[in-house]
Amino acid sequence: MKTSEIHCKTALSPSKLRKYALNCYVGCQYACRYCYARFMAKFTNHDEEWGEFVDVKVNIADVLLRELARKRVGSVIISSVCDGWQPLESQYRLTRECLRLLIGYGYDVNILTKSAFVVRDLDILAGKKNVALGMTVTTLDEDLRRVIEPVSSPTARRFSSLQAAAERGVEVWLFVGPLLPFLTDTEENISRLMAEASKLPLSRIAVDRLNLRPRVWQSLKEMLSEHFPELVPRYEEVLFDLAGKERYVNELRQKVKSIAEAHGLSRITILF
Ligand code: SF4
């Protein structure tokens, strides 16, 4: 892992997800094999693979403070192309400092992470009405989780982080995805995740399938070839064959819907 300290010129960037996005790091130690943010690598000077470098924006809190004095208040997603609570955050505390500023200035803060380390900041988040904490989960099978998300927090700890946040008066929500064909899209896996979700006071649940952003298939194919070689042709059928893809997506949509209903989860948004 190559870590570099850099100085950024801007802190808040325009976002399709919210008015602004805040990313204190360029790159992500979590190195998820399906990561949609891999395309970011081409905007850096790095030759390393995604997940093997992180640039730390050491001055981002100062830059943010200047921006907050002149920008229009809006909603912010933390983070859109990295994880704000990746392991380096314990050393640099940049996301924490920016979070404190954003909340103080009255911004709506929407967090999406897969790090149980976010509980460190519950002292800042507790009871705030302008905050929602979202957690991404893909599987409760820890052997599989170590293959597809090698560095991230165990899924059970992610669920308990949401529980801890809810107990401190924080709005919590869940992002399930991406559902990987024949790995995490199984009835058993989705049912286990929904069963855990049903125990939490979630404001919403969003579910997404695998979307092939640039460089994602290359990464997934390497992972499949190493761990599940028999799945490569099956992936090609549901990702690249039009009829196969349509059939797969329709069946998956129905499967997710009926499993969620079976667990009494009505506040579910299927994003595909
Ligand atoms: S945590 Fe998010 S940004 Fe980081 S590697 Fe995984 S999917 Fe990508």
Side-chain angles (χ1 to χ4, degrees):
M1 165 64 62
K2 181 176 177 187
T3 305
S4 314
E5 295 187 353
I6 62 169
H7 285 79
C8 60
K9 293 194 175 75
T10 58
L12 294 175
S13 52
S15 168
K16 287 180 185 161
L17 301 168
R18 293 288 185 277
K19 186 171 176 63
Y20 305 112
L22 182 98
N23 293 280
C24 296
Y25 304 92
V26 180
C28 190
Q29 290 169 281
Y30 282 163
C32 305
R33 301 304 295 259
Y34 53 74
C35 178
Y36 55 89
R38 291 173 176 276
F39 72 91
M40 284 293 294
K42 76 173 180 188
F43 301 114
T44 70
N45 293 323
H46 290 282
D47 296 326
E48 294 86 2
E49 289 294 313
W50 183 254
E52 292 175 4
F53 69 88
V54 177
D55 293 341
V56 181
K57 300 178 187 176
V58 288
N59 65 333
I60 193 167
D62 293 337
V63 175
L64 177 63
L65 186 57
R66 285 200 296 275
E67 290 181 358
L68 292 178
R70 58 186 163 78
K71 276 198 188 291
R72 287 183 61 185
V73 173
S75 58
V76 183
I77 174 94
I78 302 176
S79 300
S80 58
V81 286
C82 72
D83 196 305
W85 286 265
Q86 58 184 292
L88 278 168
E89 170 64 12
S90 65
Q91 175 187 341
Y92 284 98
R93 302 168 73 86
L94 297 172
T95 305
R96 178 180 170 86
E97 185 56 18
C98 291
L99 190 59
R100 200 179 59 74
L101 290 171
L102 288 165
I103 292 173
Y105 273 76
Y107 280 63
D108 282 330
V109 178
N110 212 314
I111 292 168
L112 187 57
T113 181
K114 57 183 61 149
S115 176
F117 183 51
V118 71
V119 297
R120 175 200 62 180
D121 295 331
L122 287 184
D123 59 327
I124 299 176
L125 303 175
K128 299 293 188 309
K129 296 296 169 218
N130 56 335
V131 170
L133 168 59
M135 190 66 72
T136 301
V137 294
T138 57
T139 180
L140 278 155
D141 177 337
E142 279 300 290
D143 291 335
L144 180 57
R145 199 268 307 158
R146 283 188 206 94
V147 173
I148 61 177
E149 304 166 350
V151 187
S152 62
S153 305
T155 305
R157 286 188 54 217
R158 298 182 215 174
F159 277 113
S160 38
S161 306
L162 287 182
Q163 180 64 45
E167 286 168 8
R168 300 283 296 272
V170 181
E171 178 187 333
V172 291
W173 64 282
L174 193 69
F175 178 78
V176 179
L179 293 173
L180 300 181
F182 319 116
L183 291 173
T184 61
D185 72 345
T186 62
E187 181 133 4
E188 182 194 354
N189 186 59
I190 298 170
S191 291
R192 288 182 70 190
L193 292 172
M194 293 297 169
E196 288 305 310
S198 68
K199 298 174 192 165
L200 291 167
L202 299 169
S203 61
R204 64 185 190 278
I205 302 174
V207 184
D208 206 358
R209 67 181 174 92
L210 173 65
N211 292 295
L212 284 191
R213 307 273 188 252
R215 304 189 183 197
V216 170
W217 175 234
Q218 185 187 343
S219 165
L220 277 179
K221 194 172 178 183
E222 278 170 22
M223 180 275 287
L224 292 170
S225 302
E226 187 181 344
H227 297 278
F228 311 100
E230 71 286 0
L231 292 183
V232 173
R234 297 181 72 194
Y235 265 64
E236 287 170 341
E237 186 190 339
V238 300
L239 295 175
F240 302 113
D241 175 79
L242 269 186
K245 181 175 173 180
E246 191 178 341
R247 191 167 51 247
Y248 169 77
V249 170
N250 287 338
E251 286 173 8
L252 182 60
R253 197 180 293 122
Q254 280 311 313
K255 178 161 56 176
V256 171
K257 200 164 171 281
S258 64
I259 295 172
E261 280 170 8
H263 286 87
L265 296 167
S266 53
R267 288 184 186 173
I268 186 162
T269 307
I270 298 174
L271 299 170
F272 57 90

Coordinates of all heavy atoms in Angstrom, one line a residue, residues 81-124:
V81 N -16.4 8.2 -3.6 CA -15.4 7.4 -4.3 C -14.3 6.9 -3.4 O -13.1 6.6 -3.9 CB -14.8 8.2 -5.6 CG1 -15.8 8.2 -6.7 CG2 -14.4 9.6 -5.2
C82 N -14.5 6.8 -2.2 CA -13.6 6.1 -1.2 C -14.4 5.8 0.0 O -15.6 6.1 0.0 CB -12.4 7.1 -0.8 SG -12.9 8.4 0.3
D83 N -13.8 5.2 1.0 CA -14.5 5.0 2.3 C -13.9 6.0 3.3 O -12.7 5.9 3.5 CB -14.4 3.5 2.8 CG -15.5 3.3 3.8 OD1 -15.5 4.0 4.8 OD2 -16.3 2.4 3.7
G84 N -14.8 6.8 3.8 CA -14.3 7.8 4.7 C -13.7 7.3 6.0 O -13.0 8.0 6.8
W85 N -14.1 6.0 6.3 CA -13.6 5.4 7.6 C -12.7 4.2 7.3 O -12.6 3.3 8.1 CB -14.8 5.0 8.4 CG -15.4 6.2 9.1 CD1 -15.2 6.7 10.3 CD2 -16.4 7.1 8.5 NE1 -15.9 7.9 10.5 CE2 -16.7 8.1 9.4 CE3 -17.0 7.2 7.2 CZ2 -17.6 9.1 9.2 CZ3 -17.9 8.2 7.0 CH2 -18.2 9.2 8.0
Q86 N -12.0 4.3 6.2 CA -11.0 3.3 5.9 C -9.9 3.4 7.0 O -9.8 4.4 7.7 CB -10.4 3.4 4.5 CG -9.8 4.8 4.2 CD -9.3 4.9 2.7 OE1 -8.4 4.2 2.3 NE2 -10.0 5.7 2.0
P87 N -9.0 2.3 7.1 CA -8.1 2.3 8.2 C -7.2 3.6 8.4 O -7.0 4.0 9.6 CB -7.2 1.1 7.9 CG -8.1 0.2 7.1 CD -9.0 1.1 6.3
L88 N -6.8 4.2 7.4 CA -6.0 5.4 7.5 C -6.7 6.5 8.3 O -6.1 7.4 8.9 CB -5.6 6.0 6.1 CG -4.4 5.3 5.5 CD1 -4.3 5.7 4.0 CD2 -3.1 5.6 6.2
E89 N -8.0 6.5 8.3 CA -8.8 7.6 9.0 C -8.5 7.5 10.5 O -8.6 8.6 11.2 CB -10.3 7.4 8.7 CG -11.2 8.2 9.6 CD -11.1 9.7 9.4 OE1 -10.5 10.2 8.4 OE2 -11.7 10.5 10.2
S90 N -8.1 6.4 11.1 CA -7.8 6.4 12.5 C -6.6 7.2 12.8 O -6.4 7.7 13.9 CB -7.6 4.9 13.0 OG -6.5 4.4 12.4
Q91 N -5.7 7.3 11.8 CA -4.5 8.1 12.0 C -4.8 9.6 11.7 O -4.4 10.5 12.4 CB -3.4 7.5 11.1 CG -2.1 8.3 11.0 CD -1.2 7.7 10.0 OE1 -1.4 6.6 9.5 NE2 -0.2 8.5 9.5
Y92 N -5.4 9.9 10.6 CA -5.6 11.2 10.1 C -6.8 12.0 10.6 O -6.8 13.2 10.6 CB -5.6 11.2 8.5 CG -4.2 11.0 8.0 CD1 -3.8 9.7 7.5 CD2 -3.3 12.0 7.9 CE1 -2.5 9.5 7.0 CE2 -2.0 11.8 7.3 CZ -1.6 10.6 6.9 OH -0.4 10.3 6.4
R93 N -7.9 11.3 10.9 CA -9.1 11.9 11.5 C -9.6 13.0 10.6 O -10.2 14.0 11.1 CB -8.8 12.5 12.9 CG -8.3 11.4 13.8 CD -7.7 11.9 15.1 NE -8.7 12.4 16.0 CZ -9.4 11.7 16.9 NH1 -9.1 10.4 17.0 NH2 -10.2 12.3 17.6
L94 N -9.5 12.9 9.3 CA -9.9 14.0 8.4 C -11.5 13.9 8.2 O -12.1 15.0 8.2 CB -9.3 13.8 7.0 CG -7.7 14.0 7.0 CD1 -7.2 13.6 5.7 CD2 -7.4 15.4 7.4
T95 N -12.0 12.7 8.0 CA -13.5 12.6 7.9 C -14.1 13.1 9.1 O -15.2 13.8 9.1 CB -13.8 11.2 7.5 OG1 -13.1 10.7 6.4 CG2 -15.3 11.0 7.3
R96 N -13.6 12.8 10.2 CA -14.2 13.2 11.5 C -14.2 14.7 11.6 O -15.3 15.3 11.9 CB -13.4 12.7 12.7 CG -13.9 13.1 14.0 CD -13.1 12.6 15.2 NE -13.4 13.2 16.4 CZ -14.4 12.8 17.2 NH1 -15.2 11.8 16.9 NH2 -14.7 13.4 18.3
E97 N -13.1 15.4 11.2 CA -13.1 16.8 11.3 C -14.1 17.5 10.4 O -14.8 18.4 10.7 CB -11.6 17.3 11.1 CG -11.4 18.8 11.3 CD -11.9 19.3 12.7 OE1 -12.0 18.5 13.6 OE2 -12.1 20.6 12.8
C98 N -14.1 16.9 9.1 CA -15.0 17.5 8.1 C -16.5 17.3 8.5 O -17.3 18.1 8.3 CB -14.7 16.9 6.8 SG -13.1 17.4 6.1
L99 N -16.7 16.1 9.1 CA -18.1 15.8 9.6 C -18.5 16.8 10.6 O -19.7 17.4 10.6 CB -18.0 14.4 10.2 CG -19.3 13.7 10.6 CD1 -20.2 13.5 9.4 CD2 -18.9 12.3 11.1
R100 N -17.6 17.1 11.5 CA -17.9 18.1 12.6 C -18.3 19.5 12.0 O -19.2 20.1 12.4 CB -16.7 18.2 13.5 CG -17.0 18.8 14.9 CD -15.7 18.8 15.7 NE -14.6 19.6 15.1 CZ -14.6 20.9 15.0 NH1 -15.6 21.6 15.6 NH2 -13.7 21.6 14.4
L101 N -17.5 19.9 11.0 CA -17.8 21.2 10.3 C -19.1 21.2 9.6 O -19.9 22.1 9.7 CB -16.6 21.5 9.4 CG -15.3 21.8 10.0 CD1 -14.2 21.8 8.9 CD2 -15.3 23.1 10.8
L102 N -19.3 20.1 8.8 CA -20.6 20.1 8.0 C -21.8 20.1 8.9 O -22.8 20.8 8.6 CB -20.6 18.8 7.1 CG -19.6 18.8 6.0 CD1 -19.4 17.4 5.4 CD2 -20.0 19.8 4.9
I103 N -21.8 19.3 9.9 CA -22.9 19.3 10.8 C -23.1 20.7 11.5 O -24.2 21.2 11.6 CB -22.8 18.2 11.9 CG1 -22.9 16.8 11.2 CG2 -23.8 18.3 13.0 CD1 -22.5 15.6 12.1
G104 N -22.0 21.2 11.9 CA -22.1 22.5 12.6 C -22.6 23.6 11.6 O -23.3 24.5 12.1
Y105 N -22.4 23.5 10.4 CA -22.9 24.5 9.4 C -24.3 24.2 8.9 O -24.8 24.8 8.0 CB -21.9 24.7 8.2 CG -20.8 25.7 8.5 CD1 -19.7 25.4 9.3 CD2 -20.8 26.9 8.0 CE1 -18.7 26.3 9.6 CE2 -19.8 27.9 8.2 CZ -18.8 27.5 9.0 OH -17.8 28.4 9.3
G106 N -24.9 23.1 9.4 CA -26.3 22.8 9.0 C -26.5 22.1 7.7 O -27.6 22.0 7.2
Y107 N -25.4 21.4 7.3 CA -25.5 20.6 6.0 C -26.2 19.3 6.3 O -26.1 18.8 7.5 CB -24.2 20.4 5.4 CG -23.6 21.5 4.6 CD1 -23.3 22.7 5.2 CD2 -23.4 21.4 3.3 CE1 -22.8 23.8 4.5 CE2 -22.9 22.5 2.5 CZ -22.6 23.7 3.2 OH -22.1 24.7 2.4
D108 N -27.0 18.8 5.4 CA -27.6 17.4 5.6 C -26.4 16.5 5.2 O -25.9 16.5 4.0 CB -28.8 17.2 4.6 CG -30.0 17.9 5.2 OD1 -30.1 17.9 6.4 OD2 -30.8 18.3 4.4
V109 N -26.1 15.6 6.1 CA -25.0 14.7 5.9 C -25.5 13.3 5.7 O -26.1 12.8 6.6 CB -24.0 14.8 7.0 CG1 -22.8 13.8 6.8 CG2 -23.4 16.2 7.2
N110 N -25.2 12.7 4.6 CA -25.5 11.3 4.3 C -24.3 10.5 4.2 O -23.5 10.7 3.3 CB -26.3 11.3 3.0 CG -27.4 10.2 3.0 OD1 -27.0 9.0 3.5 ND2 -28.6 10.4 2.6
I111 N -24.1 9.6 5.1 CA -22.9 8.8 5.2 C -23.2 7.5 4.5 O -24.2 6.9 4.7 CB -22.5 8.6 6.7 CG1 -22.1 9.9 7.3 CG2 -21.4 7.5 6.8 CD1 -21.9 9.8 8.8
L112 N -22.2 7.0 3.8 CA -22.2 5.6 3.3 C -20.9 5.0 3.5 O -19.9 5.5 2.9 CB -22.7 5.5 1.8 CG -22.9 4.1 1.3 CD1 -23.9 3.4 2.1 CD2 -23.3 4.1 -0.2
T113 N -20.8 4.0 4.3 CA -19.5 3.4 4.6 C -19.7 1.9 4.7 O -20.9 1.4 4.8 CB -19.0 3.9 5.9 OG1 -17.7 3.3 6.2 CG2 -19.9 3.7 7.1
K114 N -18.6 1.1 4.8 CA -18.7 -0.3 5.2 C -17.7 -0.5 6.3 O -17.2 -1.7 6.5 CB -18.5 -1.2 4.0 CG -17.3 -1.1 3.2 CD -17.2 -2.1 2.0 CE -18.4 -1.8 1.0 NZ -18.0 -2.1 -0.4
S115 N -17.5 0.5 7.1 CA -16.5 0.4 8.2 C -17.2 0.5 9.5 O -17.9 1.5 9.8 CB -15.5 1.5 8.0 OG -14.6 1.5 9.2
A116 N -17.0 -0.5 10.3 CA -17.5 -0.4 11.7 C -16.9 0.7 12.5 O -17.3 1.1 13.6 CB -17.4 -1.8 12.4
F117 N -15.7 1.2 12.0 CA -15.0 2.2 12.7 C -15.8 3.5 12.8 O -15.4 4.4 13.6 CB -13.6 2.4 12.0 CG -12.7 3.4 12.6 CD1 -12.4 3.4 14.0 CD2 -12.2 4.4 11.9 CE1 -11.6 4.3 14.5 CE2 -11.3 5.4 12.4 CZ -11.1 5.3 13.8
V118 N -16.8 3.6 12.0 CA -17.6 4.9 12.1 C -18.2 5.1 13.5 O -18.5 6.3 13.8 CB -18.8 4.8 11.0 CG1 -19.8 3.7 11.4 CG2 -19.4 6.1 10.7
V119 N -18.3 4.1 14.3 CA -18.8 4.3 15.7 C -17.9 5.2 16.5 O -18.3 5.8 17.5 CB -19.0 3.0 16.4 CG1 -20.0 2.1 15.8 CG2 -17.7 2.2 16.6
R120 N -16.6 5.4 16.1 CA -15.8 6.3 16.8 C -16.4 7.7 16.8 O -16.3 8.5 17.8 CB -14.4 6.4 16.0 CG -13.5 7.5 16.6 CD -12.4 7.9 15.6 NE -13.0 8.5 14.4 CZ -12.2 9.0 13.4 NH1 -10.9 8.9 13.5 NH2 -12.8 9.5 12.4
D121 N -17.2 8.0 15.7 CA -17.7 9.4 15.6 C -19.2 9.5 16.1 O -19.8 10.5 15.8 CB -17.6 9.8 14.1 CG -16.1 9.9 13.8 OD1 -15.3 10.2 14.7 OD2 -15.8 9.7 12.6
L122 N -19.6 8.5 16.8 CA -21.0 8.7 17.3 C -21.2 9.8 18.2 O -22.3 10.4 18.4 CB -21.5 7.3 18.0 CG -21.7 6.2 17.0 CD1 -22.3 5.0 17.8 CD2 -22.7 6.6 15.9
D123 N -20.1 10.2 18.9 CA -20.2 11.4 19.8 C -20.6 12.7 19.0 O -21.3 13.5 19.5 CB -18.9 11.7 20.5 CG -17.7 11.9 19.6 OD1 -17.7 11.3 18.5 OD2 -16.9 12.7 20.0
I124 N -20.2 12.7 17.7 CA -20.6 13.9 16.8 C -21.9 13.7 16.2 O -22.7 14.6 16.1 CB -19.5 14.0 15.7 CG1 -18.1 14.3 16.3 CG2 -19.9 15.1 14.8 CD1 -17.1 14.3 15.2

